[in-house]
Amino acid sequence: MHLASSEPAPRRRRRGAELQAALLDAAWEELMERGYAGLTFAAVADGAGTSRPVVNRHWATKAMLVRDAIGHASDKFPLTDPDTGSLRDDTIGLLEQLNGAFTVFAVAMTAQLAAYFEETGTTPAELRASLIDERWALIESVAQRAVERGEIDGSKLTPRITRLPFDLLRHEVLMDLAPMSAHAIQEIVDTIFIPLLT
């Protein structure tokens, strides 16, 4: 009688983008669990089911690995244009999309990354800019559409006011380390942002 082998099936070898994604996912998990100071290439390799030399072939330093892991995690929160036809609903739609992403990164931007900023000589603002700046074109286009529709006064649309709802969202999430409620998002738009522009 033939008995099934109790040996585990060999792992399928991953290559290219699939391997890199697994390594970055493992690095993000290590960062969230142990912080920057506690993250090691060996632990990342183990988490991804591979060997340390594989990690070393992709990243020369821990700082480079962490930077790419943060970018990889950020890519899981793409920003899409709500284009509802009103500034209010567009802004609420964008804030709701960013709410989850800001919560994830609020955790990473606190104690977990203190050692990263010290080692690399960079600041949270620089990291935020590298992750958020590519999304600002969409955010600004939402406000510009409202000007073109005659919905708001374009002369009042300064860069600081354009950023205001998103700055308020980021601040509250950083302070609470939790997503903002839907009611609070609507309150920001209805009682602060829109009145400043009309």
Side-chain angles (χ1 to χ4, degrees), residues 28-64:
W28 177 258
E29 291 299 323
E30 286 295 311
L31 182 64
M32 292 297 97
E33 186 174 335
R34 295 181 172 81
Y36 181 81
L39 182 147
T40 66
F41 276 21
V44 170
D46 186 58
T50 188
S51 63
R52 177 172 175 164
V54 172
V55 184
N56 286 105
R57 282 199 298 271
H58 285 80
W59 294 278
T61 67
K62 181 165 71 169
M64 293 169 68

Side-chain angles (χ1 to χ4, degrees), residues 142-165:
V142 162
Q144 193 55 45
R145 280 202 307 258
V147 173
E148 292 166 2
R149 288 192 300 262
E151 191 179 352
I152 58 173
D153 182 352
S155 68
K156 297 180 178 180
L157 192 63
T158 66
R160 186 175 297 278
I161 289 176
T162 301
R163 292 193 306 265
L164 181 62

Side-chain angles (χ1 to χ4, degrees), residues 118-188:
E118 183 177 349
E119 182 179 304
T120 60
T122 58
T123 65
E126 289 171 298
L127 179 60
R128 184 191 71 222
S130 72
L131 300 171
I132 301 298
D133 279 357
E134 65 187 41
R135 296 176 166 95
W136 279 119
L138 173 56
I139 290 168
E140 289 171 347
S141 74
V142 162
Q144 193 55 45
R145 280 202 307 258
V147 173
E148 292 166 2
R149 288 192 300 262
E151 191 179 352
I152 58 173
D153 182 352
S155 68
K156 297 180 178 180
L157 192 63
T158 66
R160 186 175 297 278
I161 289 176
T162 301
R163 292 193 306 265
L164 181 62
F166 307 95
D167 289 343
L168 291 171
L169 171 65
R170 185 177 61 250
H171 173 76
E172 185 158 324
V173 165
L174 281 169
M175 293 299 99
D176 296 344
L177 296 181
M180 183 181 278
S181 70
H183 173 75
I185 286 175
Q186 292 171 22
E187 185 179 23
I188 285 174

